Amino acid sequence: MTLFLTLYFFLLGTILGSFYNVVGLRLPNGGLMHENRSYCPNCKKTLAWYELIPILSYILQKGRCRGCRESISPIYPAMEAITGVIFALCFYQFGLGPQLILALLLMSMFHIIMVSDLRYMVIPDHLLLFFFGLFIVYRILYPLDPWWSSLIGGLGGLTVTAVIILVSRGGMGGGDMKLFGLLGFVLGWKLLLVTFFLSTLIGAVVSGGLLAAGIIQRKKPIPFGPFIVVGASFAFFSDRIIIDWYLQTFF
Ligand SMILES: [Zn+2]
């Protein structure tokens, strides 16, 4: 039964992941509701059902559109596969229960943020508002212990990022600030601190590496959202281990 459910959550993740790719690509353009059918962004050909199978279609078409032969970015099937694996891991770690719902909501939001921020350097407000509504309901039903950790986390996330934006002048943007505020509300102030620590660390290491390898230029801004997403995921899944280590080391 466990194996069957793990497989089920993997497939659910790839199918929803395929949908989240579309949401992440279309939401910043405001076109989510107007265009129901998926199409090739290059030749505008409407895609048939067999061109929309997560991961498999990409492999069978050798990474190209069947209409115009334009290559499709491997980021999209990779994100489908990653979301599939992460959904399976969520079930594996939390079993069936409220924590699983929280985990799947967070990972769904993270997938869409990843796509939008990598493609357009934007974390759409509509997306954050939509998930904020769901997380408020979730935290009313299942409050943190103590419950005000949500309030301190939310306000802390907003103010600390606002200070960083003022000081660094462009290291982070308004979308990052709102995302940190939202994460502080959902995860509480302790996990928010860990997320801050991990995302800035990962951001520094990765952008340093990309600079050194000549893949990006010093003056060109890079999206910070993906680092927040990865940092928050680590913080969320490792939970107590990293928190205890971090709080003992730095406070
Ligand atoms: Zn095409």
Side-chain angles (χ1 to χ4, degrees), residues 40-45 65-70:
C40 165
N42 186 50
C43 66
K44 312 283 183 234
K45 177 178 113 62
C65 167
R66 282 167 51 89
C68 64
R69 313 300 302 158
E70 177 82 2

Short mmCIF file of all heavy atoms in Angstrom, two decimals, residues 40-45 65-70, ligand 1:
data_model
loop_
_atom_site.label_atom_id
_atom_site.label_comp_id
_atom_site.label_asym_id
_atom_site.label_seq_id
_atom_site.Cartn_x
_atom_site.Cartn_y
_atom_site.Cartn_z
N CYS A 40 2.54 25.76 -28.39
CA CYS A 40 3.97 26.00 -28.48
C CYS A 40 4.21 27.51 -28.46
O CYS A 40 3.62 28.23 -29.26
CB CYS A 40 4.52 25.39 -29.77
SG CYS A 40 6.18 25.98 -30.19
N PRO A 41 5.05 28.02 -27.56
CA PRO A 41 5.26 29.47 -27.50
C PRO A 41 5.95 30.01 -28.76
O PRO A 41 5.85 31.21 -29.04
CB PRO A 41 6.16 29.65 -26.26
CG PRO A 41 6.73 28.32 -25.96
CD PRO A 41 5.79 27.30 -26.52
N ASN A 42 6.58 29.15 -29.53
CA ASN A 42 7.27 29.61 -30.73
C ASN A 42 6.34 29.67 -31.95
O ASN A 42 6.15 30.72 -32.56
CB ASN A 42 8.47 28.71 -31.02
CG ASN A 42 9.31 29.22 -32.17
OD1 ASN A 42 9.69 30.38 -32.19
ND2 ASN A 42 9.58 28.37 -33.13
N CYS A 43 5.70 28.52 -32.32
CA CYS A 43 4.89 28.50 -33.54
C CYS A 43 3.39 28.58 -33.23
O CYS A 43 2.57 28.58 -34.14
CB CYS A 43 5.18 27.24 -34.36
SG CYS A 43 4.68 25.71 -33.55
N LYS A 44 3.01 28.63 -31.93
CA LYS A 44 1.61 28.78 -31.50
C LYS A 44 0.73 27.59 -31.86
O LYS A 44 -0.49 27.66 -31.77
CB LYS A 44 0.95 30.06 -32.08
CG LYS A 44 1.76 31.33 -31.92
CD LYS A 44 1.70 31.87 -30.51
CE LYS A 44 2.47 33.19 -30.39
NZ LYS A 44 3.47 33.19 -29.35
N LYS A 45 1.34 26.49 -32.29
CA LYS A 45 0.54 25.29 -32.59
C LYS A 45 -0.08 24.75 -31.30
O LYS A 45 0.60 24.63 -30.29
CB LYS A 45 1.45 24.22 -33.21
CG LYS A 45 0.77 22.88 -33.50
CD LYS A 45 1.74 21.92 -34.15
CE LYS A 45 2.10 20.71 -33.30
NZ LYS A 45 1.03 19.83 -32.93
N CYS A 65 9.68 20.82 -30.34
CA CYS A 65 8.28 20.95 -30.72
C CYS A 65 8.04 20.13 -31.98
O CYS A 65 8.84 20.15 -32.90
CB CYS A 65 7.94 22.42 -30.98
SG CYS A 65 6.36 22.67 -31.81
N ARG A 66 6.89 19.39 -32.04
CA ARG A 66 6.60 18.56 -33.22
C ARG A 66 6.26 19.41 -34.44
O ARG A 66 6.38 18.96 -35.58
CB ARG A 66 5.44 17.62 -32.92
CG ARG A 66 5.83 16.41 -32.09
CD ARG A 66 4.59 15.71 -31.55
NE ARG A 66 3.65 15.44 -32.62
CZ ARG A 66 3.65 14.34 -33.35
NH1 ARG A 66 4.53 13.40 -33.10
NH2 ARG A 66 2.76 14.16 -34.30
N GLY A 67 5.80 20.65 -34.18
CA GLY A 67 5.43 21.51 -35.30
C GLY A 67 6.63 22.20 -35.93
O GLY A 67 6.90 22.06 -37.12
N CYS A 68 7.39 22.96 -35.12
CA CYS A 68 8.42 23.83 -35.67
C CYS A 68 9.83 23.37 -35.34
O CYS A 68 10.80 24.01 -35.75
CB CYS A 68 8.21 25.26 -35.16
SG CYS A 68 8.40 25.39 -33.37
N ARG A 69 9.98 22.26 -34.63
CA ARG A 69 11.29 21.70 -34.28
C ARG A 69 12.09 22.60 -33.35
O ARG A 69 13.27 22.35 -33.13
CB ARG A 69 12.15 21.37 -35.52
CG ARG A 69 11.44 20.64 -36.63
CD ARG A 69 10.90 19.32 -36.21
NE ARG A 69 11.92 18.39 -35.69
CZ ARG A 69 11.66 17.36 -34.89
NH1 ARG A 69 10.41 17.15 -34.49
NH2 ARG A 69 12.60 16.57 -34.48
N GLU A 70 11.46 23.66 -32.84
CA GLU A 70 12.15 24.53 -31.88
C GLU A 70 12.41 23.73 -30.59
O GLU A 70 11.54 22.99 -30.15
CB GLU A 70 11.26 25.75 -31.56
CG GLU A 70 11.81 26.70 -30.52
CD GLU A 70 12.84 27.69 -31.10
OE1 GLU A 70 13.09 27.63 -32.31
OE2 GLU A 70 13.38 28.49 -30.32
ZN ZN B 1 6.47 24.96 -32.20
#
